[in-house]
């Protein structure tokens, strides 16, 4: 048993029993603290007899610190296990039609596990042009570039200083990121 609160073996077994009739053998399961661009990954093994390598499922360590850690880890594990399951059955194991079909059957919510994103936390606005600017941290003294250009020869003018309009909840901040990327 590992000392961590989040035991990958347990997540694997839970998904295995619920969605794969307990039929899957556990691959190598490990945390990866360098994984940033995705929440998890599946590394196929090698079946060559002169170079046998076990398949691996890696889960990004940062998920442990997320608010809904348990749910995210379980979801990511389920996603990677579909890749693994296809590989075990010697099928193409990318995001294929079979992958999507299984994903829908399982009710796994994400096509791609969430990458680590910092949510926007504030919305600033320009009282002149009414444009809104989401920000991830508190901005110092900044003015609306558009209005300074249009009305002040491009120089900073405090009339167009950005005003803090509102704070965003974490959910709102993350939603904004997905809309803008
Ligand atoms: Zn995937
Ligand atoms: Zn403006």
């Amino acid at each position: 048993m590992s000392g961590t609160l989040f035991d990958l073996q347990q997540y694997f077994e839970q998904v295995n029993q619920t969605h794969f009739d307990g039929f899957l053998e556990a691959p190598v399961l490990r945390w990866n603290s360098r994984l940033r661009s995705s929440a998890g990954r599946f590394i196929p093994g090698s079946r060559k007899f002169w170079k046998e390598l076990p398949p691996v499922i890696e889960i990004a360590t940062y998920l442990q610190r997320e608010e809904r850690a348990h749910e995210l880890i379980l979801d990511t594990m389920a996603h990677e296990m579909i890749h693994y399951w296809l590989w075990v059955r010697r099928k193409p194991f990318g995001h294929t039609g079979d992958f999507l079909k299984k994903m829908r059957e399982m009710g796994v919510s994400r096509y791609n596990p969430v990458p680590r994103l910092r949510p926007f936390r504030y919305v600033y606005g320009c009282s002149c042009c009414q444009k809104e600017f989401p920000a991830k941290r508190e901005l110092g003294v900044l003015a609306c570039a558009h209005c300074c250009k249009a009305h002040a020869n491009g120089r900073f003018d405090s009339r167009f200083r950005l005003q803090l309009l509102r704070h965003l909840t974490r959910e709102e901040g993350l939603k904004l990121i997905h809309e803008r990327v």
Side-chain angles (χ1 to χ4, degrees), residues 3-60:
T4 167
L5 181 61
F6 304 102
D7 183 357
L8 289 180
Q9 200 72 43
Q10 277 180 22
Y11 289 99
F12 178 88
E13 262 325 304
Q14 185 176 334
V15 180
N16 195 19
Q17 296 303 329
T18 314
H19 299 291
F20 297 95
D21 303 320
F23 145 86
L24 287 172
E25 272 184 58
V28 175
L29 302 169
R30 66 183 177 222
W31 295 103
N32 184 336
S33 60
R34 294 180 312 276
L35 211 52
R36 288 278 188 277
S37 56
S38 66
R41 65 173 176 171
F42 166 63
I43 307 164
S46 166
R47 294 181 172 114
K48 298 185 174 113
F49 71 87
W50 67 88
K51 195 193 172 194
E52 254 189 81
L53 277 175
V56 180
I57 286 177
E58 289 186 342
I59 306 293

Side-chain angles (χ1 to χ4, degrees), residues 126 128-131 144 146-147:
C126 169
C128 177
C129 68
Q130 310 295 324
K131 210 169 171 241
C144 172
H146 169 78
C147 291

Side-chain angles (χ1 to χ4, degrees), residues 11 30 35 41 57 61 79-80 96 115 143 155 172 177:
Y11 289 99
R30 66 183 177 222
L35 211 52
R41 65 173 176 171
I57 286 177
T61 309
H79 179 104
E80 302 310 324
T96 59
R155 276 193 300 274
E172 290 168 337
I177 285 178

Side-chain angles (χ1 to χ4, degrees), residues 55-126:
V56 180
I57 286 177
E58 289 186 342
I59 306 293
T61 309
Y62 74 80
L63 291 183
Q64 296 179 16
R65 295 186 295 271
E66 294 293 312
E67 235 172 277
R68 297 175 301 125
H70 178 71
E71 192 185 325
L72 287 171
I73 294 167
L74 193 63
D75 216 36
T76 304
M77 178 64 82
H79 179 104
E80 302 310 324
M81 281 174 70
I82 304 176
H83 288 301
Y84 172 56
W85 170 73
L86 289 169
W87 180 82
V88 167
R89 299 172 74 208
R90 298 182 182 245
K91 293 193 163 185
F93 53 86
H95 298 132
T96 59
D98 284 343
F99 184 98
L100 298 177
K101 187 163 166 266
K102 184 69 177 172
M103 195 186 77
R104 260 178 252 118
E105 281 169 22
M106 289 166 63
V108 177
S109 58
R110 268 170 216 89
Y111 177 71
N112 263 331
V114 268
R116 182 179 205 185
L117 297 170
R118 274 163 54 87
F120 287 106
R121 297 181 59 202
Y122 309 98
V123 175
Y124 286 81
C126 169

Side-chain angles (χ1 to χ4, degrees), residues 132-178:
E132 294 195 348
F133 303 86
K136 294 183 180 183
R137 57 183 71 84
E138 280 187 78
L139 302 178
V141 179
L142 278 181
C144 172
H146 169 78
C147 291
C148 290
K149 205 182 245 175
H151 313 296
N153 295 317
R155 276 193 300 274
F156 174 87
D157 189 313
S158 58
R159 284 180 296 162
F160 311 125
R161 221 188 122 170
L162 299 185
Q163 310 287 331
L164 179 59
L165 299 181
R166 60 184 186 273
H167 290 253
L168 296 170
T169 65
R170 193 183 158 76
E171 288 293 310
E172 290 168 337
L174 282 170
K175 193 161 166 275
L176 260 184
I177 285 178
H178 292 298

